[in-house]
DNA sequence: TTATATAGTTTACAACTGTAAACGTAAAAT
DNA sequence: ATTTTACGTTTACAGTTGTAAACTATATAA
């Protein structure tokens, strides 16, 4: 599990800051008013936690602060993906990708890039993926 | 967010029970000894919580219980996937699938199935995925 | 200049998690 | 028959998360 996990509520904040920064707590709260019924105090608590976790930086501007991200959205998403993959047997990843693809709308160019990637992977894809699970935690034969 | 979320430690238990059931707490613990340095008490606490959450059923066998899953592994994984997708803009899903595929080993037949799915999706894939984010939570132009 | 609106910080508090000891009870071993 | 062992249940306790009120300091408006 990754340390400094970003909780679901904290993600809401991070997404705002990734989109616009530097940004103040008030501005963050205004944007989130649309989606969450949070008191300003709630937003501030979450911001404080993110600062403490080292995920947001602060810069004092007069009597207020402006916040900026210290981690990128891509790396954060990638960590979430890692955590997801860590909880399933390697042999199930292919099926899961299929599931994601089935339930999502992706663009033509996404599909083209994926197709190219698949073509490339075909070269050295194994016939069967090797399972590395602890014996008893998946049905693969060990 | 899905209610009755399965926590990382609880996943360890569930994976064992999905693989073998019905199964006793002792057997679960024996299997997990390989991977986690948990006291038997810890395993039992986690089992108890899973029963309370309605994710494991119990059947009394003499003086002990045997546990079985009340939710399937697939549906649980699918919920995890949903939670992952919920935290990113729809337009980023394609890229994320690519990331997963890049960092994983998938089998030839996985790749073939994926290819077929892509071919099918191409028919009505949009040129650009529509973003449905709350304004200010992603960089798409609204 | 005093009251009010803003900022950030501290404190709060319940639910969930990780990790386990303690407890009560029934079965098995001596 | 008594001690030990094996089970499940209860209690514990700190850390995280969701949600926010209270507090403090300052800037601004009256």
């Amino acid at each position: 599990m990754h340390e400094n996990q970003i909780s679901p509520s904290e993600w809401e904040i991070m997404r705002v800051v990734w989109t616009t920064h530097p940004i103040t707590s008030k501005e963050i709260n205004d944007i989130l008013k649309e989606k969450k019924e949070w008191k300003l105090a709630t937003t501030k608590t979450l911001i404080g936690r993110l600062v403490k976790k080292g995920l947001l930086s602060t810069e004092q501007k007069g009597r207020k602060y402006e916040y900026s991200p210290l981690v990128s959205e891509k790396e954060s998403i990638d960590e979430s993906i890692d955590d997801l993959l860590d909880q399933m047997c390697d042999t199930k990843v292919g099926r899961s990708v299929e599931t994601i693809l089935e339930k999502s709308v992706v663009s033509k160019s996404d599909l083209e890039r994926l197709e190219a990637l698949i073509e490339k992977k075909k070269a050295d894809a194994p016939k069967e993926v090797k399972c590395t699970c602890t014996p008893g935690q998946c049905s693969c034969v060990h």
Side-chain angles (χ1 to χ4, degrees), chain A residues 6-135:
Chain A
I6 302 175
S7 80
S9 293
E10 288 167 355
W11 262 95
E12 301 289 348
I13 307 279
M14 289 305 291
R15 290 186 62 181
V16 174
V17 183
W18 279 322
T19 304
T20 308
H21 55 261
I23 188 170
T24 65
S25 62
K26 175 134 190 1
E27 290 167 333
I28 293 173
N29 193 248
D30 283 345
I31 286 173
L32 287 174
K33 269 213 209 81
E34 191 94 0
K35 186 179 190 181
K36 314 292 289 184
E37 276 153 17
W38 286 345
K39 299 289 147 67
L40 182 54
T42 302
T43 299
K44 285 177 179 176
T45 298
L46 293 169
I47 291 173
R49 288 177 184 168
L50 287 166
V51 171
K52 174 134 67 115
K53 287 186 182 178
L55 301 176
L56 288 183
S57 70
T58 51
E59 197 187 350
Q60 195 142 18
K61 277 284 183 184
R63 82 242 130 262
K64 68 178 68 168
Y65 285 103
E66 287 185 336
Y67 303 95
S68 297
L70 285 173
V71 293
S72 74
E73 180 167 21
K74 171 122 181 63
E75 77 188 282
S76 299
I77 289 180
D78 285 358
E79 283 188 12
S80 295
I81 291 177
D82 284 344
D83 289 338
L84 174 71
L85 297 183
D86 278 355
Q87 63 193 167
M88 66 181 90
C89 173
D90 290 349
T91 64
K92 293 209 169 64
V93 174
R95 285 278 182 196
S96 293
V97 169
E98 229 182 312
T99 301
I100 296 177
L101 221 48
E102 266 162 12
K103 67 171 68 181
S104 325
V105 178
V106 293
S107 71
K108 276 201 195 332
S109 60
D110 282 332
L111 291 175
E112 274 157 23
R113 284 201 325 278
L114 275 171
E115 210 164 34
L117 176 58
I118 288 174
E119 209 48 53
K120 195 167 57 168
K121 293 204 72 132
K122 269 185 165 176
D124 45 297
K127 190 155 166 40
E128 278 198 14
V129 177
K130 220 173 291 170
C131 155
T132 61
C133 298
T134 296

